[in-house]
Amino acid sequence: MARRRSLAREWIEALPAGAFFFASEVPGEPAAVKPLLSRLASDPGHAVQRQMRGFYCKRWGDERKAPFVDRSRGALKLAGPGGGAAGLFAVNRAGWSYQHPCRYDFAVVGRPPVSPWPTVRFRRRSNVRRDALCASEVTLLEAVRYFDRSAPIPWDEAVAAVRDGTVAQSLARSGPLRPEAVLWVAQSENGMPARFHERLGEVCGALAVSGGGRADVL
């Protein structure tokens, strides 16, 4: 049991600052992992912090009293495959709006997880093909979906920002943008108007021309 706790602790200590993880990811038997996590999270001098039952993070550096945690990263961890920014937050992340929302919305495939933070909400999406996309691609899909409701700029300016690489640069932290993959997933976005598909086609065409994405076909 002592060796198992040692392995679990080594795994936790090796995580980078700002990382989020589930208790189920920690190597070892639950009988050893659970009390270890409980002990670490209750220690004000340790970086591990409990966010909700079975979900933890490592705080940044030595900011003990006022820790900063990137909740976008945590929300994407909870969202799982096919997750990405949604609503006004997606439009902001794409660089099409400088208005920063007071709540962060995330799209998830299937049943939304419980949010441990009042500033983070999850929105359900039924398109299982989204599992094949990284967070940046889902965010782009959502940004086009909510453009008319949230973006303060004309559509032609939004397309120009894709063509000159600005959008790809804004979303780079969340993964590469693959135009063909996004279009393939969009085929199963049921209930969306023709305007959505037309605009997404324009965006993916501009993205391919800009060289900001990879035209991989799934």
Side-chain angles (χ1 to χ4, degrees):
M1 182 69 75
R3 178 56 182 161
R4 292 173 183 174
R5 283 196 298 267
S6 176
L7 288 173
R9 184 158 192 146
E10 288 173 7
W11 185 89
I12 293 168
E13 296 296 346
L15 290 173
F20 287 81
F21 63 97
F22 294 103
S24 58
E25 295 179 86
V26 182
E29 295 295 327
V33 171
K34 288 183 179 180
L36 172 63
L37 286 172
S38 178
R39 188 164 60 254
L40 294 179
S42 62
D43 180 359
H46 200 277
V48 168
Q49 187 177 51
R50 183 178 184 270
Q51 301 298 301
M52 59 187 290
R53 182 178 181 181
F55 189 55
Y56 298 81
C57 76
K58 282 191 72 174
R59 294 179 288 190
W60 290 98
D62 294 324
E63 299 177 21
R64 310 294 188 189
K65 296 182 179 179
F68 170 77
V69 175
D70 184 349
R71 288 182 179 172
S72 294
R73 191 178 304 179
L76 288 174
K77 180 74 173 180
L78 285 172
L88 174 59
F89 187 42
V91 176
N92 173 265
R93 290 294 295 267
W96 288 340
S97 172
Y98 291 114
Q99 182 180 353
H100 200 74
C102 58
R103 290 187 182 226
Y104 300 155
D105 288 343
F106 290 86
V108 299
V109 178
R111 184 178 178 180
V114 174
S115 174
W117 312 293
T119 55
V120 172
R121 298 181 299 187
F122 295 98
R123 298 187 180 188
R124 180 174 186 152
R125 300 290 183 256
S126 59
N127 184 3
V128 295
R129 283 192 179 186
R130 287 186 176 215
D131 285 352
L133 300 180
C134 68
S136 63
E137 293 163 337
V138 174
T139 299
L140 182 65
L141 199 67
E142 290 284 322
V144 174
R145 178 177 181 147
Y146 283 89
F147 184 85
D148 285 337
R149 301 183 223 177
S150 306
I153 61 174
W155 176 246
D156 59 346
E157 288 186 22
V159 175
V162 176
R163 191 176 297 112
D164 68 18
T166 301
V167 171
Q169 184 176 2
S170 297
L171 297 175
R173 189 177 71 170
S174 300
L177 293 169
R178 302 165 297 165
E180 294 298 330
V182 174
L183 290 175
W184 177 78
V185 170
Q187 292 173 7
S188 298
E189 290 285 306
N190 298 325
M192 297 303 296
R195 184 181 182 86
F196 164 78
H197 294 283
E198 291 170 2
R199 285 185 163 179
L200 196 63
E202 286 185 67
V203 163
C204 289
L207 186 64
V209 169
S210 74
R214 297 201 317 264
D216 297 344
V217 180
L218 297 179

